[in-house]
Amino acid sequence: MFIFRHFWIALIVATSYNALVIRKRGLAHVASATHLLGGYEVAFRVYLILGNLPWVIMGMGCLFGSLLPHDFLEPNIRDPYMVLFHATIVLNFILTAWWLFFQRGVDFLERHSALVSRLDNQGNPYPVTSGRIKLIAVILLLIGSAAMISMWTSDPS
């Protein structure tokens, strides 16, 4: 069925939409801080490229290989597209951790707070602090790593 075989297209659309939302938030923030425009543009491009890379590889595996999108959740098939898909996700984890903790990424996110801020029930943004960014990053990286380990070590039967 078309929808299942081409689900990766929906993932590209969703990731691209999220990138556009981030860009829109950034442009709204730039209205009061024009010196931040370059940082928001770089963040938009990086998110768009690195965020879509796994889905593009999934699409290649579905189009040129014999895989379906749900196969990528059970990587017991040692298909090259499968391995490359999961390798890009692990690489994204590593690059994110390296950038946040060793390349002043946390400082960047504090300055470019529209990238990570969320609104409370009254419509006010939660304060963006380096401590919160680090805590959330560590939690998300641990959850993602646990999911990858679980997928690669689980018994497919």
Side-chain angles (χ1 to χ4, degrees), residues 83-157:
V83 173
L84 187 58
F85 170 80
H86 286 277
T88 59
I89 293 173
V90 170
L91 183 63
N92 274 341
F93 290 168
I94 292 168
L95 288 174
T96 299
W98 174 74
W99 178 71
L100 282 172
F101 298 111
F102 303 110
Q103 296 297 313
R104 300 178 48 126
V106 171
D107 296 335
F108 177 89
L109 290 176
E110 275 188 305
R111 285 190 311 278
H112 299 82
S113 60
L115 295 172
V116 292
S117 65
R118 297 291 180 254
L119 302 178
D120 63 15
N121 293 338
Q122 287 78 36
N124 301 316
Y126 286 108
V128 176
T129 65
S130 63
R132 279 187 187 194
I133 294 169
K134 290 175 185 176
L135 177 64
I136 291 170
V138 167
I139 290 169
L140 292 176
L141 288 168
L142 287 173
I143 290 170
S145 299
M148 289 299 272
I149 291 167
S150 173
M151 282 189 281
W152 279 91
T153 59
S154 66
D155 183 16
S157 56

Side-chain angles (χ1 to χ4, degrees), residues 67 75 77 95 114:
L67 299 171
I77 305 166
L95 288 174

Side-chain angles (χ1 to χ4, degrees), residues 7-134:
F7 185 71
W8 56 274
I9 295 171
L11 296 170
I12 290 174
V13 169
T15 302
S16 300
Y17 175 78
N18 283 336
L20 290 171
V21 168
I22 286 171
R23 186 169 194 241
K24 183 179 176 185
R25 275 194 215 149
L27 292 177
H29 187 220
V30 165
S32 63
T34 55
H35 65 285
L36 299 175
L37 178 62
Y40 280 113
E41 287 298 320
V42 169
F44 166 72
R45 287 188 200 107
V46 168
Y47 185 86
L48 192 62
I49 293 167
L50 292 182
N52 278 317
L53 186 59
W55 312 136
V56 170
I57 293 168
M58 178 186 282
M60 291 170 50
C62 293
L63 293 176
F64 306 123
S66 60
L67 299 171
L68 293 172
H70 68 270
D71 292 332
F72 290 86
L73 297 175
E74 294 181 14
N76 56 340
I77 305 166
R78 299 300 187 242
D79 184 90
Y81 294 108
M82 180 81 64
V83 173
L84 187 58
F85 170 80
H86 286 277
T88 59
I89 293 173
V90 170
L91 183 63
N92 274 341
F93 290 168
I94 292 168
L95 288 174
T96 299
W98 174 74
W99 178 71
L100 282 172
F101 298 111
F102 303 110
Q103 296 297 313
R104 300 178 48 126
V106 171
D107 296 335
F108 177 89
L109 290 176
E110 275 188 305
R111 285 190 311 278
H112 299 82
S113 60
L115 295 172
V116 292
S117 65
R118 297 291 180 254
L119 302 178
D120 63 15
N121 293 338
Q122 287 78 36
N124 301 316
Y126 286 108
V128 176
T129 65
S130 63
R132 279 187 187 194
I133 294 169
K134 290 175 185 176

